[in-house]
């Protein structure tokens, strides 16, 4: 010890220790590297473990600016957490990729990866080579995927019979803050997706679903509008609030006199010159308004602002207008109304106008906040969810929850096979993997068995979060599944009196569950194969 450090005193007589070769400490090799990586990944997954399931807890995240996010969504929690460790970042990306591909199951995939790594740690302690563990996991994952395919059910639905879709969306919303109103929210999600879905091609265009949130009101006031909602109001308070059979012009040019691009200076020396300039400016405005009128437009939607003079002239000419509409919203309105976006006033013509049945301005409660609703569009597939809630955090969480539910419905439209929730699929896979391990020779069987034990961690966490005795509950369900050969039995989180998830109506999409297993296994393989961590700039 005395060779590597020396004691020194500062000018106040306080002792401190100088360690030699401290730079070299930034390199971790061999088994120690795997251990430290596993520890980092486990600490991330332990954060999410308590958020799993219908009784899972929410997390409150405060960013450096003091903005607060309260959420139960695994991907959002990890995204907002400032994770510095390089391997822990892999888990953050893991939940992101599950969110991008499936949209649901972001918490479960990280918990599963953490369980696989903690099982791997036990095997490494016994001296099994990390690559053998990774290969065993890969083989076990294939068995689990085949099992999922066998125990999956196909749900039939049509545009008239959407009950299976609503039930699956409800399962997703069970663990969210809005679970009190989950039936209504699930119906909104299903109706939104079916409005924009092409069932023949099994394709859903998410760009056509817009989310608008307004704090105030209750969660039950959330509604689905068959049209587009803009968080704007009419540019002049005296303009009409409701318009019927509207022809709208979408402009990306401002209602202002053109400005020279170069630097310019104008000297006005007499009143006549000023009057001339004023008339010139007025002529610009009147010409603009005339061009809009001549095209037959009855509503102007503009991406930029208006001069006060232009606003006044629009009102005089009975031309209602909305200003400062964002580019994305403008494109959405163009898609919905069949309009063309017009970059210059000179290009205005009747064939570039969009049509819609009704445009109305709505106000909320006693506040001055207003929104414009564009309804009965020519291409009616664009829809907007107007989310209400007690405060901004609840509205944001409701928007995230609705997005998850919509993703699940979209996955069912693409592939209508489901597995049952409550940990039933994981228990069935775990039993199949254990059975397969008995037929494998050599050290690989240990890794395959470890994979089965890791799968059991999901129902254990579910039972734990619901206040049940985890090991007892898991043993009960497992023995029942074996005795009755029924893969639909899971943990009864809602205390409804039956373990049969088919009767409880707890569904999960098959592709979502398969993706969870695949992604978690791939990330774990990656972590296990790292045996040397060199931090640049510190190692010499």
């Amino acid at each position: 010890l005395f060779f590597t450090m020396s004691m020194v005193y500062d000018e106040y007589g306080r002792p401190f220790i100088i360690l030699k070769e401290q730079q070299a400490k930034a390199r971790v090799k061999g088994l120690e590297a795997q251990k430290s990586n596993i520890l980092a990944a486990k600490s991330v997954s332990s954060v999410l473990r308590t958020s799993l399931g219908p009784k899972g807890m929410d997390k409150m995240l405060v960013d450096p600016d003091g903005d607060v996010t309260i959420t139960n969504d695994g991907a959002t929690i990890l995204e907002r957490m400032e994770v510095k460790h390089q391997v822990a970042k892999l888990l953050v990306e893991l939940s992101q990729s599950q969110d991008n591909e499936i949209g649901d199951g972001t918490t479960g995939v990280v918990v599963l990866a953490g369980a696989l790594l903690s099982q791997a740690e036990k095997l490494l302690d016994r001296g099994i080579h990390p690559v053998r563990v990774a290969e065993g996991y890969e083989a076990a994952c294939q068995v689990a995927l085949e099992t999922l395919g066998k125990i999956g059910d196909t749900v039939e639905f049509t545009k008239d019979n959407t009950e299976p879709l609503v039930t699956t969306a409800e399962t997703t919303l069970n663990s969210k803050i809005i679970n009190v109103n989950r039936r209504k929210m699930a119906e909104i999600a299903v109706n939104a997706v079916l409005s924009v879905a092409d069932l023949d091609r099994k394709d859903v265009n998410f760009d056509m679903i817009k989310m608008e949130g307004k704090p105030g009101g209750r969660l039950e006031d959330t509604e689905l509008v068959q049209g587009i909602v803009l968080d704007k109001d009419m540019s002049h308070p005296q303009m009409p609030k409701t318009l019927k059979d509207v022809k709208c012009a979408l402009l990306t040019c401002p209602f202002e006199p053109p400005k020279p691009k170069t630097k310019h200076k104008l000297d006005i020396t007499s009143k006549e010159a000023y009057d001339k300039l004023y008339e010139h400016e007025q002529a610009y405005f009147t010409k603009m308004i005339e061009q809009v009128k001549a095209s037959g437009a009855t509503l102007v939607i503009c991406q930029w602002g208006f001069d006060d003079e232009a606003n006044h002239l629009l009102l005089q000419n009975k031309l209602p207008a909305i200003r400062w509409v964002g580019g994305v919203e403008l494109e959405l309105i163009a898609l919905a109304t069949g309009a063309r976006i017009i970059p210059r006033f000179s290009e205005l013509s009747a064939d570039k106008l969009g049509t819609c049945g009704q445009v109305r301005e709505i106000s909320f409660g006693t506040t001055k906040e207003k929104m414009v609703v564009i309804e009965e569009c020519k291409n009616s597939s664009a829809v907007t969810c107007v989310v209400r809630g007690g405060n901004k955090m609840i509205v944001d969480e409701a928007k995230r929850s609705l997005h998850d539910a919509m993703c699940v419905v979209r996955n069912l439209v693409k592939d209508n096979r489901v597995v049952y929730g409550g940990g039933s699929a994981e228990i069935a896979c775990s039993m199949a993997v254990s059975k397969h391990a008995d037929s494998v020779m050599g050290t690989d069987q240990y890794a395959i068995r470890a994979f089965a034990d890791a799968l059991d961690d999901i129902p254990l966490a579910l039972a734990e979060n619901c206040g049940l005795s985890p090991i007892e509950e898991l043993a009960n369900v497992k023995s029942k599944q074996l005795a009755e050969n029924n893969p639909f039995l899971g943990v009864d989180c809602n205390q409804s009196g039956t373990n049969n998830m088919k009767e409880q109506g707890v569904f999960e999409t098959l592709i979502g569950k398969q993706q969870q297993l695949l992604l978690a296994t791939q990330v774990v393989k990656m972590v296990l194969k790292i045996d040397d961590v060199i931090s640049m700039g510190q190692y010499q």
Side-chain angles (χ1 to χ4, degrees), residues 92 105 141 158 181 201 261 282 341 385 409 448 457 464 490:
V92 176
C141 183
T158 57
N181 311 102
R201 281 176 48 230
K261 291 276 186 288
Q282 288 299 310
I341 295 175
C385 295
V409 177
I448 294 173
D457 202 52
E464 204 174 300

Side-chain angles (χ1 to χ4, degrees), residues 422-433:
S424 60
E426 281 87 353
I427 294 171
C429 289
S430 162
M431 281 162 29
V433 170

Side-chain angles (χ1 to χ4, degrees), residues 197-217:
D198 183 341
L199 291 180
D200 302 328
R201 281 176 48 230
K202 293 195 169 185
D203 184 45
V204 178
N205 183 3
F206 260 164
D207 293 341
M208 304 294 272
I209 302 176
K210 189 165 169 282
M211 289 268 203
E212 275 294 345
K214 261 275 183 275

Side-chain angles (χ1 to χ4, degrees), residues 6 13 41 70 80 121 161-162 169 208 222 224 269 273 279 295 301 326 347 369 380 398 423 481-482 506 508 517 519:
S6 53
I70 297 177
R80 302 283 163 93
E121 192 175 17
N161 173 29
T162 57
M208 304 294 272
T222 300
L224 182 69
T269 50
E279 280 166 24
S295 69
I301 298 174
E347 291 182 21
E369 301 208 356
S380 64
Q481 271 212 26
L482 261 175
V506 180
E508 288 183 68
L517 290 174
L519 287 176

Side-chain angles (χ1 to χ4, degrees), residues 401-420:
S401 308
L402 266 175
H403 180 262
D404 279 9
M406 285 175 193
C407 289
V408 169
V409 177
R410 186 219 27 204
N411 295 337
L412 270 185
V413 170
K414 284 188 166 182
D415 181 348
N416 62 349
R417 289 176 301 165
V418 296
V419 289
Y420 293 91

Side-chain angles (χ1 to χ4, degrees), residues 472-524:
E472 198 179 309
E473 195 67 28
L474 178 66
N476 278 343
V477 176
K478 235 178 178 176
S479 61
K480 273 189 191 170
Q481 271 212 26
L482 261 175
E484 299 172 24
N485 196 15
N486 180 0
F488 306 151
L489 298 177
V491 179
D492 179 18
C493 296
N494 293 328
Q495 302 290 294
S496 59
T498 171
N499 287 91
N500 192 327
M501 293 295 139
K502 195 169 186 175
E503 287 170 24
Q504 277 201 34
V506 180
F507 298 167
E508 288 183 68
T509 50
L510 175 69
I511 47 175
K513 195 54 89 182
Q514 285 177 332
Q515 189 80 5
Q516 268 190 350
L517 290 174
L518 275 169
L519 287 176
T521 310
Q522 282 166 10
V523 166
V524 169

